[in-house]
Amino acid sequence: MRNPALNLGGDRPTSRHVRQNARLLSELLTEAIAYLEGDNAADLVSRARQAASRETAEGAADGLDDLFAGLSNDQAMFLARALASHSMLANIGEDVAGRRRHAEADAQPGDARPRTLIDAVKALREQGASEAELAKTLAAMNVVPVLTAHPTEVRRRSMVDRETEITRLMALRRHHLPADLDAEIREGLFREIALMWRTRLYRPERITVKDEIRNALSIVRTSILPAVIDLYGDWIRQIGDHGRLGPLLKLGSWLGGDRDGHPGVNGETLKLALSSQARVILDWYAAEVRKLWSNLAVSTAYTPVSDELLALAAQSQDPSVHRLDEPYRLALELIFDRLTAVSQKLTGAPVAFANGVTSVAPYAHPDAFVADLEIIIDSLRRNGGERLVGTALTTLVEVAQACGFHLMALDLRQNADVHERTLDELFRRAGSGIKYLALDEDARAKLLIDELSHQRPLVSPFTAYDEETTRELATMQAAAEVVRDYGRGCLGAYVISKAATLSDILEPLVLLKQVGLVWGGQAPRASVKISPLFETIGDLENGPAVLRQWLELPISRTILGDRPVQEVMLGYSDSNKDGGYVASRRGVARGASALAHEADRMGVGLQLFHGRGGSVGRGGGPAAEAVLAQPAGTVQGRIRMTEQGEMIARRFGDQPTARRNLDGLAAAVLMASERPVVAPEPKVEAAMTALAQASFEGYRALVYDDPAFEDFFWSATPIGEIVGLNIGSRPASRTASRKIEDLRAIPWVFSWSQARFMLPGWYGFASGVARAGLSTAQLQDLAGDFDFFASMLSNMELALAQSHMGIAARYVALAPDQAAAQRIFEAIKVEHAAASALALAVRDGASLLDNQPELAESVALAGLSVDPLNHLQLELLARRRGGDQDEEVRLAIQLTVAGIAAGLRNTG
């Protein structure tokens, strides 16, 4: 039972390990169900899985459908749990075999690119880069994965914990073990799987922002932060020659700060996120300082120390007479106490290992903490003691410079429409007579520039504002408070969704002026970076002109500071929903090049922030490969990139995987930054432009111009049921309408994935090729000469392989208007077949992904778990839409959604 376009097989060691792992975990789940529910329950699961194995290539599985049709609602819910659990366990078996995560982290087969930053530096040295050039490049690097929440997140933290423990136990079985120990591990696996079976896969209520913060921080604490620490330690030893590198890798987050369309995000969640993050990093700092304190019992009787160290030690409140000649310990005791005081101030509790509260004054900002550590390092270095602590102190300093007291720099995000409405009310209530919403663009820009030229506030504490304006002002006031408490580094950027004009950039500056984060005058200054997000195809095309308008303003230079770098965020999701896969990717790449040109022309650095999702349709795929495929001259050593929802657990769920992905990302940024800027050949540019425009037209003709398509989407996918599920804290749509343009991009992609179309990841390519009149030879030339095009095709081929037109046809049968549905589906099938044929023709392949056999087998194996869940979901959707409103049907649908999402490895 598999996608007929894939070849499943091979007897590679990893293949055998995957099958062995999957078989063991399946047996243990069956054993657990029999133990907890009885033999009849276990037999039902076995019969369903056996019937599923007889599915045809066209998606027909009569025996399975007959079985599902005869289930009672409670049996259907039970079976949904079982099949979803099988799906999750199959993933674990594959991950432990060491294949899937490597496949996701690695780039194209045969690609000899450096996979670590150390190897990248070595490669550049071999290419002739001088040490001075490398040091300058590394010092300027800024690589920031940004963790974001996910509107269709399906996994609970308690389930992730179970999976983590099962993974750990399975990894132990990879070694040759005595029979008694192997049996003990097997029993441990049984116990964990049985506990998983007794744990709810779904949430009874919608997840809250607090839950999202807690879930993400759990992974940061256990895997991401340890990986960052390890990487800095290795980089210091092998790249910096035990010297300093600078904070080239940092962490970012939207959790608690992304209020675009999210009524639950406000000033309180902003403070909660930062205080929760502070607790994690301050506890680590304190633990490291305590270790150093234990080791550095160095007496002045045997070695001199610096005067600065003696002065620092003299401030300690340590009363012990036994440490009067141990200034390093006294200094470290003071540092520990001041960290405790910081924790008391920011989190309301002392750091771990502290003996209660302290009366010592806290550090005012992270730089003061770093300065104290530098005093210790300097004293050791000047007095021959540097090797006494290895790289521990230097690593601590590097991490402190990267993470401050905030751990992850938190972005604020809001929609430009909200800024417009807020300013409109502020101007009206100020008695100015200005009707901001009625002004044209030029008048708005002039008014906002005037507002930034002085310090007078628009806001009055004696004026009552409406709910939205009050909430916006309160959030900005909270932002001002956290900058005061944590330092400027705690906020990454203020991201402006739906940015399309110069006034969209100026509006948040005027609003931030009201709370002191922007200072007006002849030379305005800002303590928060402004990052316009260009999302639609049109906005991506117009973005460079908007950037030019902004940078031509004299005030932009003072606001950007002495070493001006302007960040611009590029949206993959909405541009895909707006214009399809090819036009979106082309729009992002072309926009990036044009933005880089404008910034360079104006003498300003550029930092691009890539808003990627987990699925191919939303810019997903290997992060390092995506960086290397960026147009030359656009990376510039600086990049931020979103990591969304369930992909955080997939890419960073354990320390080795987190380390590999972070190291690979840093290596790719360095290599991409050193690539010479070469203008693309005119024929390449012309071919890509023609293809993008033609694919845009083909995509729009189906999705927006066909009047029957909206109803087709709502009936031939489970979007209606997904909207009602408690699988994310953010509403699925920006409005209450059914319009596709109002639906958020993530549930749009999620719905197509659930129904196995994967349409956002490929639709429009084949028709675009035909409309543009491109030959296979021309496509082959593009793939050979253009990294961007080769990467785009590789990711598209994965989406094509993950789709299953046979199963998709079963969803189409749910549509009430079958004439329109079959007409639309026929167009989709034709496009899918043509896109698959073109993908193979370009690289002379025989079957999808046959040049990546391990990834092909991963997709095929996922089908073994996912396909029966699709069939069960179809039966449940038919019941629900037929009028059966039984709560067990709703919960069973939710379980199938979770299982399919887990098996496909992404939700949107």
Side-chain angles (χ1 to χ4, degrees):
M1 183 179 82
R2 57 187 174 86
N3 188 328
L6 294 173
N7 282 328
L8 174 62
D11 196 33
R12 295 176 298 276
T14 49
S15 299
R16 292 196 301 272
H17 292 154
V18 170
R19 291 195 294 268
Q20 291 167 0
N21 290 348
R23 189 181 307 116
L24 172 63
L25 292 171
S26 178
E27 290 172 356
L28 287 170
L29 178 60
T30 301
E31 185 179 331
I33 292 173
Y35 173 75
L36 296 170
E37 310 290 351
D39 292 337
N40 290 339
D43 179 63
L44 176 61
V45 178
S46 297
R47 285 191 288 126
R49 287 173 56 79
Q50 288 169 6
S53 67
R54 295 189 288 273
E55 182 196 52
T56 68
E58 291 73 32
D62 294 339
L64 188 63
D65 293 334
D66 291 342
L67 174 63
F68 289 165
L71 296 174
S72 64
N73 287 345
D74 63 327
Q75 286 178 317
M77 188 170 75
F78 163 80
L79 202 51
R81 280 181 65 205
L83 294 175
S85 297
H86 271 290
S87 178
M88 294 176 185
L89 291 172
N91 284 344
I92 293 174
E94 189 176 11
D95 286 344
V96 172
R99 183 180 61 205
R100 181 62 174 262
R101 291 183 179 180
H102 283 86
E104 289 179 345
D106 292 345
Q108 295 280 2
D111 181 5
R113 69 170 174 84
R115 304 305 172 93
T116 69
L117 185 63
I118 293 168
D119 287 344
V121 169
K122 180 180 178 182
L124 292 176
R125 283 172 175 157
E126 291 173 350
Q127 293 172 17
S130 68
E131 294 303 312
E133 290 171 334
L134 283 171
K136 182 179 179 181
T137 300
L138 291 168
M141 280 181 66
N142 187 47
V143 181
V144 188
V146 180
L147 309 187
T148 75
H150 200 299
T152 52
E153 175 66 77
V154 298
R155 301 201 308 161
R156 297 177 62 221
R157 181 67 236 173
S158 52
M159 287 301 299
V160 174
D161 291 341
R162 293 273 76 77
E163 291 178 35
T164 299
E165 182 59 16
I166 292 169
T167 299
R168 186 188 70 82
L169 291 170
M170 286 294 291
L172 293 176
R173 295 189 76 256
R174 296 177 65 183
H175 307 287
H176 296 291
L177 299 171
D180 58 339
L181 184 54
D182 188 66
E184 182 180 335
I185 293 173
R186 190 185 189 283
E187 182 62 21
L189 283 167
F190 169 82
R191 184 165 52 252
E192 289 298 324
I193 290 172
L195 285 169
M196 184 187 79
W197 179 252
R198 287 295 199 223
T199 302
R200 277 187 291 103
L201 294 176
Y202 55 85
R203 302 180 181 92
E205 63 284 319
R206 188 173 292 278
I207 188 174
T208 66
V209 178
K210 182 178 180 180
D211 294 328
E212 290 173 334
I213 294 169
R214 184 177 62 247
N215 291 352
L217 272 181
S218 177
I219 295 176
V220 172
R221 181 187 298 107
T222 58
S223 59
I224 298 179
L225 179 59
V228 169
I229 294 163
D230 280 356
L231 285 171
Y232 271 116
D234 284 354
W235 293 341
I236 289 167
R237 284 187 291 272
Q238 300 189 53
I239 299 175
D241 192 23
H242 294 262
R244 303 287 290 281
L245 289 171
L248 61 89
L249 174 65
K250 300 175 184 174
L251 301 175
S253 174
W254 279 12
L255 300 161
D258 178 13
R259 61 195 196 281
D260 179 14
H262 197 318
V265 175
N266 51 41
E268 292 306 309
T269 61
L270 175 68
K271 292 179 179 179
L272 173 65
L274 283 168
S275 66
S276 301
Q277 294 169 195
R279 186 57 189 264
V280 173
I281 194 62
L282 288 170
D283 279 355
W284 182 75
Y285 291 155
E288 290 301 297
V289 169
R290 184 56 71 195
K291 289 178 191 175
L292 290 165
W293 181 92
S294 297
N295 291 332
L296 285 176
V298 175
S299 172
T300 51
Y302 301 114
T303 183
V305 298
S306 69
D307 291 342
E308 293 82 2
L309 180 70
L310 289 173
L312 186 64
Q315 300 174 49
S316 172
Q317 296 183 357
D318 189 335
S320 174
V321 296
H322 304 297
R323 286 189 280 277
L324 291 177
D325 65 336
E326 297 174 352
Y328 288 107
R329 274 193 161 182
L330 291 172
L332 288 164
E333 186 72 32
L334 173 66
I335 293 172
F336 183 91
D337 286 345
R338 296 193 73 181
L339 286 173
T340 296
V342 171
S343 184
Q344 290 170 189
K345 172 186 172 184
L346 299 181
T347 74
V351 294
F353 317 113
N355 296 318
V357 299
T358 179
S359 59
V360 172
Y363 288 113
H365 47 76
D367 289 345
F369 169 48
V370 170
D372 282 355
L373 295 175
E374 295 280 17
I375 289 173
I376 295 175
I377 292 173
D378 180 66
S379 181
L380 288 168
R381 185 178 293 127
R382 284 160 53 184
N383 295 286
E386 190 174 8
R387 292 177 64 186
L388 297 179
V389 292
T391 59
L393 256 175
T394 314
T395 301
L396 178 56
V397 169
E398 295 280 8
V399 175
Q401 289 182 321
C403 298
F405 295 151
H406 55 272
L407 177 58
M408 300 185 288
L410 196 62
D411 287 354
L412 300 174
R413 184 170 76 130
Q414 185 54 285
N415 195 294
D417 293 343
V418 177
H419 298 149
E420 293 175 3
R421 293 194 297 268
T422 302
L423 280 169
D424 182 69
E425 181 175 20
L426 293 184
F427 282 119
R428 284 189 292 104
R429 295 300 181 93
S432 64
I434 296 170
K435 297 180 180 179
Y436 184 75
L437 291 176
L439 299 178
D440 62 21
E441 171 58 23
D442 290 343
R444 287 186 182 189
K446 182 180 184 304
L447 174 63
L448 296 170
I449 293 169
D450 288 345
E451 280 298 318
L452 292 170
S453 69
H454 58 74
Q455 277 285 63
R456 294 189 303 276
L458 274 172
V459 174
S460 168
F462 306 106
T463 302
Y465 300 100
D466 69 20
E467 182 180 355
E468 182 179 65
T469 298
T470 300
R471 184 170 61 246
E472 287 301 298
L473 293 174
T475 301
M476 292 187 181
Q477 183 59 49
E481 292 172 10
V482 298
V483 169
R484 180 195 64 210
D485 292 341
Y486 293 84
R488 291 177 59 173
C490 73
L491 296 183
Y494 193 110
V495 179
I496 310 156
S497 299
K498 286 187 66 180
T501 63
L502 174 61
S503 65
D504 290 335
I505 296 176
L506 296 169
E507 285 163 355
L509 291 171
V510 172
L511 290 172
L512 291 168
K513 190 187 107 174
Q514 311 309 310
V515 296
L517 289 175
V518 170
W519 295 268
Q522 290 186 341
R525 293 173 294 117
S527 56
V528 179
K529 301 170 187 174
I530 298 296
S531 181
L533 166 54
F534 300 123
E535 299 180 80
T536 67
I537 299 294
D539 290 342
L540 288 167
E541 292 175 351
N542 192 48
V546 175
L547 180 65
R548 183 191 318 124
Q549 287 180 294
W550 162 241
L551 295 180
E552 285 176 345
L553 293 178
I555 63 171
S556 70
R557 300 314 173 94
T558 59
I559 286 174
L560 291 176
D562 295 335
R563 288 179 287 183
V565 174
Q566 176 63 55
E567 179 176 277
V568 176
M569 186 171 183
L570 304 175
Y572 289 70
S573 305
D574 281 283
S575 61
N576 179 284
K577 184 165 71 74
D578 181 39
Y581 177 63
V582 178
S584 168
R585 288 301 182 91
R586 173 61 171 166
V588 168
R590 195 173 188 179
S593 292
L595 288 164
H597 172 75
E598 290 295 340
D600 183 64
R601 190 176 66 84
M602 300 299 294
V604 172
L606 178 70
Q607 176 168 285
L608 292 177
F609 184 5
H610 294 267
R612 303 166 74 239
S615 63
V616 170
R618 298 189 54 248
E625 181 183 326
V627 171
L628 290 169
Q630 293 304 309
T634 63
V635 178
Q636 302 181 12
R638 300 178 289 264
I639 198 167
R640 295 210 300 157
M641 186 176 289
T642 54
E643 294 288 354
Q644 287 197 337
E646 83 292 345
M647 298 311 297
I648 297 172
R650 298 301 180 200
R651 290 176 177 158
F652 306 105
D654 59 70
Q655 187 175 338
T657 303
R659 178 188 168 111
R660 182 171 61 250
N661 280 296
L662 292 170
D663 205 1
L665 179 60
V669 169
L670 178 59
M671 296 304 293
S673 301
E674 295 300 297
R675 191 169 54 209
V677 179
V678 180
E681 293 185 25
K683 66 175 185 179
V684 170
E685 189 71 14
M688 278 306 308
T689 299
L691 175 58
Q693 180 60 34
S695 68
F696 174 81
E697 292 168 359
Y699 174 87
R700 297 281 302 191
L702 175 75
V703 175
Y704 290 99
D705 297 341
D706 190 321
F709 187 82
E710 184 179 296
D711 287 338
F712 173 84
F713 170 64
W714 281 87
S715 59
T717 76
I719 177 62
E721 289 72 20
I722 288 167
V723 167
L725 297 180
N726 297 322
I727 52 177
S729 69
R730 187 186 303 275
S733 183
R734 290 184 170 91
T735 71
S737 81
R738 285 161 50 98
K739 292 181 179 179
I740 291 170
E741 49 264 52
D742 292 336
L743 187 70
R744 291 187 178 278
I746 300 174
W748 161 259
V749 174
F750 183 73
S751 302
W752 291 116
S753 300
Q754 286 281 310
R756 305 295 291 281
F757 286 85
M758 305 296 177
L759 183 141
W762 53 266
Y763 193 88
F765 173 73
S767 57
V769 169
R771 286 169 181 249
L774 298 177
S775 66
T776 300
Q778 286 176 294
L779 296 177
Q780 289 172 332
D781 288 342
L782 282 174
D785 300 336
F786 200 14
D787 288 344
F788 157 77
F789 188 73
S791 174
M792 186 189 78
L793 280 185
S794 174
N795 288 327
M796 184 188 76
E797 189 172 341
L798 173 60
L800 289 166
Q802 287 181 316
S803 62
H804 193 312
M805 289 296 105
I807 289 177
R810 304 291 301 280
Y811 282 86
V812 173
L814 295 172
D817 185 350
Q818 276 297 293
Q822 292 301 328
R823 174 180 59 79
I824 291 171
F825 185 52
E826 184 61 27
I828 292 173
K829 284 195 300 180
V830 168
E831 179 80 8
H832 182 273
S836 299
L838 285 170
L840 295 177
V842 168
R843 61 174 183 80
D844 197 24
S847 62
L848 294 175
L849 300 180
D850 60 1
N851 62 329
Q852 300 183 72
E854 290 187 343
L855 185 56
E857 190 170 356
S858 288
V859 173
L861 287 171
L864 298 177
S865 299
V866 173
D867 292 1
L869 280 161
N870 279 118
H871 283 274
L872 182 54
Q873 186 179 89
L874 284 160
E875 169 64 28
L876 293 165
L877 290 174
R879 294 186 188 186
R880 186 77 169 175
R881 295 178 184 183
D884 190 340
Q885 298 302 305
D886 191 325
E887 178 67 4
E888 289 185 329
V889 174
R890 187 187 71 82
L891 294 177
I893 291 173
Q894 188 173 23
L895 287 165
T896 62
V897 168
I900 293 169
L904 294 176
R905 297 282 186 150
N906 66 69
T907 57

